Amino acid sequence: MQATAIAQPNIALIKYWGKRDLDRNLPAVGSISITLRDLFTRMHVAFDEALAADTLVVNDAPDAAMLPRLAACLDRIAGEARPRAHIVSTCNFPIAAGLASSASSFAALTVAAAAALGRELDAGELARLAGQASGSSARSLFGGFVELANVGDDIEVTNICEAEAWPMTVVIAITETGPKPVGSSEAMEISRRTSPFYASWVEQQADDLAKARAAIAAHDFGALKSVSEHNCLKMHSIMWASRPPVVYWNAATLRCLETVRGLQADGVPVFFTIDAGPQVKAVCLPEAAGTVAAALRATDGVRNIMTTGLGPGARLEADS
Ligand code: PMV
């Protein structure tokens, strides 16, 4: 009744922003992401009939805040009458700061819980279960370049290009380490209800997805850069125009964008993307990684830099 799984966060290039079904947590739009290699969440799940309540330890400290969402995820996998669980999570990067820690957490939890229960589910079914907890976590079930498509009233998640087939490096500039002011689910609902740009965002997404899919198939970095930056800025424009406005950026976020634009002007193959937080992710071809990391490290307000390649999807740990 116990198992351990590991999953990496993913970064969306074509973003998921907005929900079409709140109960099932279904996204309003499809998305395309890259799964990272060197940032991880490891989850150990032990179901135990003797336990009176679920417990959670994150990075060696008891954590009550995250427990209800993890427990609800276990309920969906094992049923509400399930034995209580002891969950131990280890994460090697800042949690809830716009680095997709929920994506890797729920992907790892889903894989570990299914294995602990002896349930053999394919990656598509696991993705659906993880997606109900966190939409973006469905994509962390797969490695490399991943597409989440809306199909009928369901989602379908597929790998569209292996990590090794088109190597990329992601340089993450951390501009703030604390948790974000508004969670992504709440912010998405504010956007859906109040942003004048929301409807056209949903309408244009198919076009952005098609452009990104074609760029990835052709390994066309310039085309992927163009559609990814456009899609990211559209997502943030929706938030800025919401009531109340949702602004995840800080001054250093903007300075990082200027750094990336400066590199681009010098011919460096790099583009930026930003999620529901103030960190900037610079996606580049591996030969540019050193130059990009040095430039971002030297940018005023950047506290830390993390560099990672692309990696595999969520999987069981060998010893479980
Ligand atoms: O899955 P959530 O609720 O963490 O939302 C993710 C939203 C973005 O990271 C901003 C975009 C995305 O597609 O990952």
Side-chain angles (χ1 to χ4, degrees):
M1 293 289 272
Q2 56 176 300
T4 306
I6 188 160
Q8 270 78 277
N10 68 79
I11 304 291
L13 304 182
I14 304 300
K15 311 286 190 187
Y16 146 51
W17 194 254
K19 299 177 196 282
R20 73 178 194 281
D21 180 332
L22 284 177
D23 291 336
R24 295 172 62 203
N25 201 38
L26 292 175
V29 291
S31 52
I32 290 178
S33 61
I34 43 181
T35 302
L36 306 183
R37 187 189 57 214
D38 302 320
L39 280 59
F40 67 81
T41 301
R42 177 179 287 113
M43 282 271 180
H44 177 77
V45 179
F47 290 105
D48 184 347
E49 299 285 358
L51 284 176
D54 295 319
T55 58
L56 171 65
V57 173
V58 178
N59 290 343
D60 295 327
D63 185 332
M66 185 81 175
L67 186 56
R69 275 184 82 194
L70 295 182
C73 180
L74 293 182
D75 288 349
R76 277 191 294 271
I77 300 167
E80 285 178 25
R82 65 177 171 80
R84 299 301 101 187
H86 185 49
I87 308 165
V88 180
S89 164
T90 321
C91 192
N92 74 339
F93 58 98
I95 295 173
L99 284 182
S101 59
S102 66
S104 50
S105 298
F106 287 107
L109 183 76
T110 303
V111 171
L117 295 162
R119 289 182 64 185
E120 288 198 12
L121 304 174
D122 65 29
E125 290 168 296
L126 291 166
R128 198 170 293 122
L129 283 166
Q132 286 175 29
S134 152
S136 58
S137 77
R139 299 184 308 237
S140 275
L141 265 299
F142 295 81
F145 293 78
V146 177
E147 176 162 7
L148 185 154
N150 274 332
V151 178
D153 75 339
D154 205 354
I155 58 163
E156 199 175 277
V157 190
T158 47
N159 164 278
I160 56 171
C161 176
E162 294 297 343
E164 305 75 35
W166 195 21
M168 295 273 163
T169 300
V170 182
V171 179
I172 302 170
I174 312 277
T175 63
E176 218 170 280
T177 48
K180 54 192 167 200
V182 192
S184 52
S185 285
E186 188 187 340
M188 283 183 203
E189 273 307 284
I190 295 173
S191 297
R192 187 183 64 78
R193 285 199 309 266
T194 70
S195 180
F197 304 150
Y198 183 78
S200 47
W201 157 257
V202 173
E203 203 181 288
Q204 288 175 21
Q205 190 78 342
D207 194 40
D208 287 2
L209 287 166
K211 286 196 174 98
R213 217 180 284 126
I216 292 164
H219 294 194
D220 182 340
F221 190 85
L224 187 61
K225 160 196 171 292
S226 163
V227 71
S228 300
E229 291 188 349
H230 174 64
N231 189 267
C232 165
L233 293 174
K234 269 197 297 193
M235 180 183 79
H236 287 277
S237 304
I238 300 167
M239 298 183 211
W240 284 41
S242 297
R243 287 169 182 254
V246 179
V247 178
Y248 285 116
W249 300 15
N250 59 32
T253 310
L254 213 45
R255 280 195 290 269
C256 288
L257 295 200
E258 282 170 17
T259 297
V260 171
R261 290 208 177 99
L263 290 166
Q264 289 169 340
D266 291 341
V268 178
V270 58
F271 64 84
F272 64 80
T273 190
I274 307 163
D275 293 296
Q279 331 302 1
V280 174
K281 290 105 183 193
V283 182
C284 63
L285 293 179
E287 62 266 26
T291 308
V292 172
L296 284 169
R297 191 174 289 116
T299 301
D300 188 24
V302 170
R303 295 171 181 221
N304 196 7
I305 290 285
M306 291 167 122
T307 300
T308 171
L310 306 190
R315 62 226 173 266
L316 280 175
E317 289 269 78
D319 63 341
S320 64

